[in-house]
Amino acid sequence: MRVRRWDAERIRRGSDGLALLLADTVAGGASVGFLAPLTPAAADAWWRERAGAVAAGRLDVWVAVDDTGRPAGTVSLALPDKPNSGHRAELVKLMVHRRARGAGLGRLLLATAERAAAAAGLTLLHLDTETGSPAERLYRSAGWTPAGTIPDYAANPAGELRPTTLYYKRLAPAAR
């Protein structure tokens, strides 16, 4: 499976496929900021808003496309917007379609974002994820450090409040 960075126009053109990926992720129970059921129209609108953030240089998005041409996974980096935070970014919305899970795609997407961040000169990444989730196991196994847990931080897709764990990872700057 190939992973490519998508620009704003590619996100707009592919928002329907990205919307299906987002809706599947929510339907599968992943806590990525949405409640179930997530309509295709709402998911598409959300992705179209992300295209604006990409165009403005506030967000980088990578998409894994399967053999049928459909998005099977994605990951994003929310880039800093303050003078004192130019060395860091937030890893957001790592999603893998249920049909593509268990084959290492989440790890590939995570590694892609980490390499791109280091190549851009970033030295620190951070994220939050639902405590006890499969995503948390991925981050721990990829060398991310837990910084603490916040109880009742966000509702999962079923609307139940769940704790989240904050993580960070230090990156070595890419050799130039």
Short mmCIF file of all heavy atoms in Angstrom, two decimals, residues 78-121:
data_model
loop_
_atom_site.label_atom_id
_atom_site.label_comp_id
_atom_site.label_asym_id
_atom_site.label_seq_id
_atom_site.Cartn_x
_atom_site.Cartn_y
_atom_site.Cartn_z
N ALA A 78 -0.82 18.47 12.84
CA ALA A 78 -1.27 19.84 13.04
C ALA A 78 -0.02 20.65 13.39
O ALA A 78 0.65 20.39 14.39
CB ALA A 78 -2.30 19.91 14.16
N LEU A 79 0.27 21.61 12.55
CA LEU A 79 1.53 22.36 12.65
C LEU A 79 1.38 23.55 13.59
O LEU A 79 0.29 24.09 13.77
CB LEU A 79 1.96 22.78 11.26
CG LEU A 79 2.14 21.59 10.31
CD1 LEU A 79 2.33 22.05 8.88
CD2 LEU A 79 3.29 20.72 10.76
N PRO A 80 2.50 23.96 14.18
CA PRO A 80 2.45 25.04 15.17
C PRO A 80 2.04 26.37 14.55
O PRO A 80 2.31 26.64 13.38
CB PRO A 80 3.89 25.10 15.69
CG PRO A 80 4.72 24.51 14.61
CD PRO A 80 3.86 23.50 13.93
N ASP A 81 1.38 27.19 15.38
CA ASP A 81 0.95 28.50 14.90
C ASP A 81 1.43 29.63 15.81
O ASP A 81 1.00 30.77 15.67
CB ASP A 81 -0.57 28.55 14.76
CG ASP A 81 -1.30 28.37 16.08
OD1 ASP A 81 -0.64 28.05 17.10
OD2 ASP A 81 -2.53 28.55 16.10
N LYS A 82 2.34 29.31 16.72
CA LYS A 82 2.87 30.32 17.64
C LYS A 82 4.38 30.36 17.53
O LYS A 82 5.02 29.34 17.28
CB LYS A 82 2.44 29.99 19.06
CG LYS A 82 0.94 30.05 19.26
CD LYS A 82 0.57 29.58 20.66
CE LYS A 82 -0.91 29.47 20.82
NZ LYS A 82 -1.51 28.41 20.00
N PRO A 83 4.97 31.52 17.75
CA PRO A 83 6.43 31.64 17.62
C PRO A 83 7.22 30.72 18.55
O PRO A 83 8.30 30.27 18.19
CB PRO A 83 6.70 33.11 17.97
CG PRO A 83 5.42 33.81 17.67
CD PRO A 83 4.34 32.82 17.98
N ASN A 84 6.67 30.40 19.72
CA ASN A 84 7.43 29.59 20.66
C ASN A 84 7.22 28.09 20.47
O ASN A 84 7.71 27.29 21.26
CB ASN A 84 7.09 29.97 22.10
CG ASN A 84 5.70 29.53 22.52
OD1 ASN A 84 4.84 29.23 21.69
ND2 ASN A 84 5.46 29.51 23.81
N SER A 85 6.50 27.68 19.42
CA SER A 85 6.21 26.25 19.25
C SER A 85 6.63 25.72 17.88
O SER A 85 6.17 24.67 17.46
CB SER A 85 4.72 25.99 19.47
OG SER A 85 3.92 26.75 18.58
N GLY A 86 7.52 26.41 17.23
CA GLY A 86 7.95 26.01 15.89
C GLY A 86 8.70 24.69 15.83
O GLY A 86 8.92 24.16 14.75
N HIS A 87 9.06 24.15 16.97
CA HIS A 87 9.82 22.89 17.02
C HIS A 87 8.93 21.66 17.17
O HIS A 87 9.42 20.54 17.18
CB HIS A 87 10.78 22.94 18.22
CG HIS A 87 10.07 23.01 19.54
ND1 HIS A 87 9.37 24.13 19.94
CD2 HIS A 87 9.90 22.09 20.51
CE1 HIS A 87 8.83 23.90 21.11
NE2 HIS A 87 9.13 22.67 21.48
N ARG A 88 7.60 21.85 17.28
CA ARG A 88 6.73 20.72 17.59
C ARG A 88 5.48 20.72 16.72
O ARG A 88 5.16 21.72 16.09
CB ARG A 88 6.34 20.72 19.05
CG ARG A 88 5.52 21.91 19.49
CD ARG A 88 5.17 21.81 20.98
NE ARG A 88 4.83 23.09 21.54
CZ ARG A 88 3.59 23.57 21.66
NH1 ARG A 88 2.57 22.85 21.23
NH2 ARG A 88 3.38 24.74 22.20
N ALA A 89 4.80 19.57 16.74
CA ALA A 89 3.51 19.43 16.05
C ALA A 89 2.69 18.39 16.79
O ALA A 89 3.22 17.59 17.57
CB ALA A 89 3.71 19.01 14.60
N GLU A 90 1.40 18.41 16.52
CA GLU A 90 0.50 17.43 17.11
C GLU A 90 0.13 16.39 16.06
O GLU A 90 -0.32 16.74 14.96
CB GLU A 90 -0.77 18.10 17.64
CG GLU A 90 -1.73 17.13 18.30
CD GLU A 90 -2.98 17.79 18.84
OE1 GLU A 90 -3.20 18.99 18.58
OE2 GLU A 90 -3.75 17.09 19.53
N LEU A 91 0.32 15.13 16.39
CA LEU A 91 -0.12 14.05 15.52
C LEU A 91 -1.62 13.87 15.75
O LEU A 91 -2.06 13.69 16.89
CB LEU A 91 0.62 12.75 15.85
CG LEU A 91 0.34 11.66 14.83
CD1 LEU A 91 1.58 11.40 14.00
CD2 LEU A 91 -0.11 10.41 15.52
N VAL A 92 -2.41 13.95 14.67
CA VAL A 92 -3.86 13.88 14.80
C VAL A 92 -4.47 12.94 13.77
O VAL A 92 -3.93 12.75 12.68
CB VAL A 92 -4.51 15.28 14.66
CG1 VAL A 92 -4.11 16.19 15.81
CG2 VAL A 92 -4.17 15.94 13.34
N LYS A 93 -5.59 12.37 14.13
CA LYS A 93 -6.45 11.59 13.24
C LYS A 93 -5.73 10.48 12.49
O LYS A 93 -5.85 10.36 11.28
CB LYS A 93 -7.19 12.51 12.26
CG LYS A 93 -8.03 13.57 12.92
CD LYS A 93 -9.15 12.99 13.76
CE LYS A 93 -10.07 14.05 14.33
NZ LYS A 93 -9.73 14.46 15.68
N LEU A 94 -5.02 9.64 13.24
CA LEU A 94 -4.49 8.41 12.65
C LEU A 94 -5.67 7.45 12.55
O LEU A 94 -6.24 7.05 13.57
CB LEU A 94 -3.37 7.82 13.51
CG LEU A 94 -2.82 6.47 13.09
CD1 LEU A 94 -2.25 6.51 11.69
CD2 LEU A 94 -1.76 6.00 14.06
N MET A 95 -6.05 7.11 11.31
CA MET A 95 -7.22 6.24 11.09
C MET A 95 -6.86 5.16 10.08
O MET A 95 -6.20 5.44 9.09
CB MET A 95 -8.38 7.06 10.51
CG MET A 95 -8.92 8.13 11.43
SD MET A 95 -10.32 9.01 10.68
CE MET A 95 -9.47 10.36 9.87
N VAL A 96 -7.33 3.95 10.36
CA VAL A 96 -7.18 2.83 9.43
C VAL A 96 -8.55 2.19 9.27
O VAL A 96 -9.21 1.86 10.26
CB VAL A 96 -6.15 1.80 9.95
CG1 VAL A 96 -6.10 0.58 9.05
CG2 VAL A 96 -4.77 2.44 10.08
N HIS A 97 -8.96 2.01 8.03
CA HIS A 97 -10.25 1.38 7.74
C HIS A 97 -10.25 -0.03 8.32
O HIS A 97 -9.22 -0.72 8.30
CB HIS A 97 -10.48 1.34 6.22
CG HIS A 97 -11.90 1.09 5.85
ND1 HIS A 97 -12.47 -0.16 5.93
CD2 HIS A 97 -12.86 1.93 5.40
CE1 HIS A 97 -13.73 -0.09 5.53
NE2 HIS A 97 -14.00 1.18 5.21
N ARG A 98 -11.39 -0.47 8.80
CA ARG A 98 -11.47 -1.81 9.41
C ARG A 98 -11.03 -2.91 8.45
O ARG A 98 -10.44 -3.90 8.88
CB ARG A 98 -12.89 -2.08 9.92
CG ARG A 98 -13.21 -1.28 11.18
CD ARG A 98 -14.61 -1.54 11.67
NE ARG A 98 -15.56 -0.84 10.81
CZ ARG A 98 -16.87 -0.85 10.99
NH1 ARG A 98 -17.40 -1.56 11.99
NH2 ARG A 98 -17.66 -0.18 10.19
N ARG A 99 -11.24 -2.75 7.16
CA ARG A 99 -10.84 -3.79 6.21
C ARG A 99 -9.32 -3.89 6.07
O ARG A 99 -8.80 -4.89 5.56
CB ARG A 99 -11.47 -3.55 4.84
CG ARG A 99 -10.89 -2.40 4.07
CD ARG A 99 -11.46 -2.25 2.66
NE ARG A 99 -10.86 -1.14 1.97
CZ ARG A 99 -11.23 0.13 2.10
NH1 ARG A 99 -12.25 0.44 2.88
NH2 ARG A 99 -10.60 1.08 1.45
N ALA A 100 -8.59 -2.86 6.51
CA ALA A 100 -7.14 -2.83 6.35
C ALA A 100 -6.38 -3.00 7.66
O ALA A 100 -5.15 -2.94 7.67
CB ALA A 100 -6.73 -1.50 5.70
N ARG A 101 -7.09 -3.24 8.75
CA ARG A 101 -6.41 -3.36 10.04
C ARG A 101 -5.67 -4.68 10.18
O ARG A 101 -6.01 -5.67 9.56
CB ARG A 101 -7.43 -3.19 11.18
CG ARG A 101 -7.92 -1.77 11.24
CD ARG A 101 -8.78 -1.50 12.44
NE ARG A 101 -9.31 -0.13 12.33
CZ ARG A 101 -10.42 0.26 12.90
NH1 ARG A 101 -11.11 -0.57 13.65
NH2 ARG A 101 -10.83 1.50 12.75
N GLY A 102 -4.64 -4.66 11.02
CA GLY A 102 -3.89 -5.86 11.32
C GLY A 102 -2.77 -6.17 10.35
O GLY A 102 -2.11 -7.20 10.47
N ALA A 103 -2.53 -5.28 9.39
CA ALA A 103 -1.49 -5.52 8.39
C ALA A 103 -0.33 -4.54 8.51
O ALA A 103 0.51 -4.46 7.61
CB ALA A 103 -2.09 -5.46 6.99
N GLY A 104 -0.29 -3.75 9.58
CA GLY A 104 0.81 -2.81 9.79
C GLY A 104 0.62 -1.44 9.20
O GLY A 104 1.54 -0.62 9.21
N LEU A 105 -0.57 -1.14 8.68
CA LEU A 105 -0.80 0.16 8.06
C LEU A 105 -0.73 1.29 9.07
O LEU A 105 -0.17 2.35 8.79
CB LEU A 105 -2.14 0.18 7.32
CG LEU A 105 -2.47 1.48 6.59
CD1 LEU A 105 -1.36 1.89 5.64
CD2 LEU A 105 -3.81 1.35 5.87
N GLY A 106 -1.27 1.09 10.27
CA GLY A 106 -1.18 2.14 11.30
C GLY A 106 0.27 2.48 11.61
O GLY A 106 0.63 3.66 11.71
N ARG A 107 1.10 1.46 11.73
CA ARG A 107 2.53 1.68 12.00
C ARG A 107 3.20 2.41 10.83
O ARG A 107 4.02 3.29 11.04
CB ARG A 107 3.21 0.34 12.28
CG ARG A 107 4.64 0.48 12.75
CD ARG A 107 5.18 -0.80 13.31
NE ARG A 107 4.42 -1.34 14.40
CZ ARG A 107 4.48 -0.91 15.66
NH1 ARG A 107 5.28 0.08 15.97
NH2 ARG A 107 3.76 -1.47 16.61
N LEU A 108 2.84 2.04 9.61
CA LEU A 108 3.40 2.70 8.43
C LEU A 108 3.01 4.17 8.39
O LEU A 108 3.85 5.04 8.13
CB LEU A 108 2.93 1.99 7.15
CG LEU A 108 3.32 2.64 5.83
CD1 LEU A 108 4.84 2.69 5.66
CD2 LEU A 108 2.67 1.90 4.67
N LEU A 109 1.75 4.48 8.64
CA LEU A 109 1.30 5.87 8.67
C LEU A 109 2.00 6.66 9.76
O LEU A 109 2.46 7.79 9.54
CB LEU A 109 -0.22 5.92 8.86
CG LEU A 109 -1.04 5.48 7.66
CD1 LEU A 109 -2.46 5.14 8.09
CD2 LEU A 109 -1.04 6.56 6.59
N LEU A 110 2.13 6.07 10.94
CA LEU A 110 2.80 6.73 12.05
C LEU A 110 4.26 7.03 11.69
O LEU A 110 4.74 8.15 11.89
CB LEU A 110 2.71 5.85 13.30
CG LEU A 110 3.31 6.40 14.58
CD1 LEU A 110 2.68 7.73 14.99
CD2 LEU A 110 3.16 5.38 15.70
N ALA A 111 4.95 6.04 11.15
CA ALA A 111 6.35 6.23 10.77
C ALA A 111 6.49 7.29 9.68
O ALA A 111 7.45 8.08 9.69
CB ALA A 111 6.95 4.90 10.32
N THR A 112 5.55 7.34 8.76
CA THR A 112 5.58 8.34 7.69
C THR A 112 5.50 9.74 8.27
O THR A 112 6.28 10.63 7.90
CB THR A 112 4.42 8.10 6.71
OG1 THR A 112 4.60 6.82 6.09
CG2 THR A 112 4.36 9.18 5.64
N ALA A 113 4.57 9.96 9.19
CA ALA A 113 4.42 11.27 9.81
C ALA A 113 5.65 11.63 10.64
O ALA A 113 6.11 12.79 10.60
CB ALA A 113 3.16 11.31 10.67
N GLU A 114 6.20 10.67 11.35
CA GLU A 114 7.38 10.94 12.17
C GLU A 114 8.58 11.32 11.29
O GLU A 114 9.30 12.28 11.60
CB GLU A 114 7.73 9.71 13.02
CG GLU A 114 6.74 9.45 14.14
CD GLU A 114 7.03 8.16 14.89
OE1 GLU A 114 8.04 7.46 14.58
OE2 GLU A 114 6.24 7.83 15.79
N ARG A 115 8.79 10.60 10.19
CA ARG A 115 9.90 10.92 9.29
C ARG A 115 9.72 12.30 8.66
O ARG A 115 10.68 13.08 8.56
CB ARG A 115 10.02 9.87 8.18
CG ARG A 115 10.75 8.61 8.59
CD ARG A 115 11.09 7.74 7.39
NE ARG A 115 9.94 7.43 6.55
CZ ARG A 115 9.11 6.41 6.75
NH1 ARG A 115 9.31 5.59 7.77
NH2 ARG A 115 8.10 6.20 5.93
N ALA A 116 8.52 12.62 8.25
CA ALA A 116 8.26 13.92 7.65
C ALA A 116 8.47 15.04 8.66
O ALA A 116 9.02 16.10 8.32
CB ALA A 116 6.83 13.98 7.10
N ALA A 117 8.07 14.82 9.89
CA ALA A 117 8.27 15.83 10.93
C ALA A 117 9.76 16.07 11.16
O ALA A 117 10.20 17.22 11.24
CB ALA A 117 7.58 15.39 12.22
N ALA A 118 10.52 14.99 11.26
CA ALA A 118 11.97 15.14 11.47
C ALA A 118 12.61 15.84 10.27
O ALA A 118 13.46 16.72 10.45
CB ALA A 118 12.60 13.77 11.70
N ALA A 119 12.18 15.49 9.06
CA ALA A 119 12.74 16.12 7.86
C ALA A 119 12.42 17.61 7.83
O ALA A 119 13.18 18.40 7.26
CB ALA A 119 12.20 15.44 6.61
N ALA A 120 11.30 18.00 8.44
CA ALA A 120 10.92 19.42 8.48
C ALA A 120 11.59 20.16 9.64
O ALA A 120 11.35 21.35 9.83
CB ALA A 120 9.40 19.54 8.61
N GLY A 121 12.43 19.45 10.40
CA GLY A 121 13.15 20.09 11.50
C GLY A 121 12.41 20.08 12.83
O GLY A 121 12.88 20.69 13.80
#
